[in-house]
Amino acid sequence: MKRREFLKILGIGSLFVFTGSKIKFKNKNLFIRPPGSIIEDDFIFKCIRCGECIKVCPSNCLKPVSIKYGLFEWGTPHIIPRESACLLCLSCSKVCPTGAIQKIKFEDIKIGTAKIDRERCLVWKYKKDCYVCMEYCPVSAIYKHKDGGPEVIPEVCKGCGQCEKNCPVIGESAIKVSNEGERRISLKKRR
């Protein structure tokens, strides 16, 4: 570990120790966390910002949260699906030294849910023959609605972001993943 990394971890750790659990996180529902992440309040304190999960990610979908979102969230891993989608490989859970990202089974992955914006979708709005989101969905969570446009089955969607990443709409995608419906692990239950 380099000196700079050590001082960063020491500083953040000291801050957590002195402030304890009195903190209310304003960005609690903003981030899409890696598969197997524990609940946000525990995740913020358990993650030491070592970057091991980010280094091992084969799709480079894990990025450290910018300081602009807050000191407590800073440096923790999150996914920005439009930039790069999760491959659901679970490599991040294998290298997490603190248990902030737990080992889980593939069928238990739920990092978010995709939702289609019909006003931006090429099929719904312009009657184009697209369906790229359906082609890239690794779990077949998107189907062709009876009215012709693509539709997401929320219970099947893992939230990986393949659909959002590959959506051909320029700029903001017509299908977006949010952390709505995510399944996070509670440390209290596991003890």
Side-chain angles (χ1 to χ4, degrees):
M1 183 181 293
K2 295 178 185 167
R3 183 172 184 224
R4 175 183 257 169
E5 291 171 342
F6 174 75
L7 292 174
K8 177 180 154 186
I9 291 169
L10 182 65
I12 292 170
S14 300
L15 188 61
F16 291 155
V17 169
F18 291 118
T19 57
S21 60
K22 301 172 201 158
I23 301 160
K24 299 285 184 216
F25 299 108
K26 62 181 178 185
N27 297 320
K28 199 174 199 172
N29 298 317
L30 187 62
F31 306 110
I32 299 171
R33 297 294 187 184
S37 294
I38 59 177
I39 60 172
E40 190 70 11
D41 290 343
D42 293 334
F43 185 82
I44 294 296
F45 289 107
K46 200 111 168 121
C47 176
I48 60 169
R49 286 87 171 150
C50 65
E52 290 303 311
C53 57
I54 294 169
K55 290 177 199 167
V56 76
C57 182
S59 68
N60 292 317
C61 74
L62 293 178
K63 306 288 183 208
V65 172
S66 169
I67 189 81
K68 73 179 181 180
Y69 291 105
L71 186 59
F72 294 105
E73 293 86 353
W74 175 50
T76 59
H78 73 124
I79 300 168
I80 305 169
R82 189 64 167 159
E83 291 178 16
S84 187
C86 180
L87 297 177
L88 307 173
C89 69
L90 301 172
S91 295
C92 50
S93 66
K94 294 172 187 161
V95 298
C96 182
T98 64
I101 305 171
Q102 301 272 310
K103 292 178 179 149
I104 60 171
K105 297 177 190 164
F106 180 82
E107 56 269 14
D108 294 333
I109 296 173
K110 182 70 170 172
I111 56 178
T113 306
K115 187 173 183 177
I116 295 171
D117 179 352
R118 291 183 177 195
E119 289 300 309
R120 294 191 58 72
C121 178
L122 298 174
V123 181
W124 284 108
K125 178 101 176 171
Y126 303 106
K127 306 294 184 219
K128 301 270 185 186
D129 191 26
C130 180
Y131 304 106
V132 168
C133 55
M134 285 173 57
E135 293 170 24
Y136 278 93
C137 182
V139 293
S140 301
I142 304 171
Y143 69 98
K144 190 173 183 178
H145 188 272
K146 64 180 170 97
D147 293 333
E151 200 64 44
V152 177
I153 307 167
E155 305 80 40
V156 178
C157 180
K158 301 274 185 195
C160 68
Q162 290 292 340
C163 54
E164 184 175 340
K165 164 85 174 105
N166 292 290
C167 178
V169 173
I170 296 170
E172 190 177 312
S173 176
I175 186 165
K176 294 189 69 137
V177 176
S178 73
N179 62 9
E180 184 179 316
E182 70 178 341
R183 265 187 239 125
R184 301 282 284 272
I185 299 164
S186 171
L187 289 179
K188 292 170 182 90
K189 287 181 184 175
R190 300 198 90 177
R191 287 184 184 153

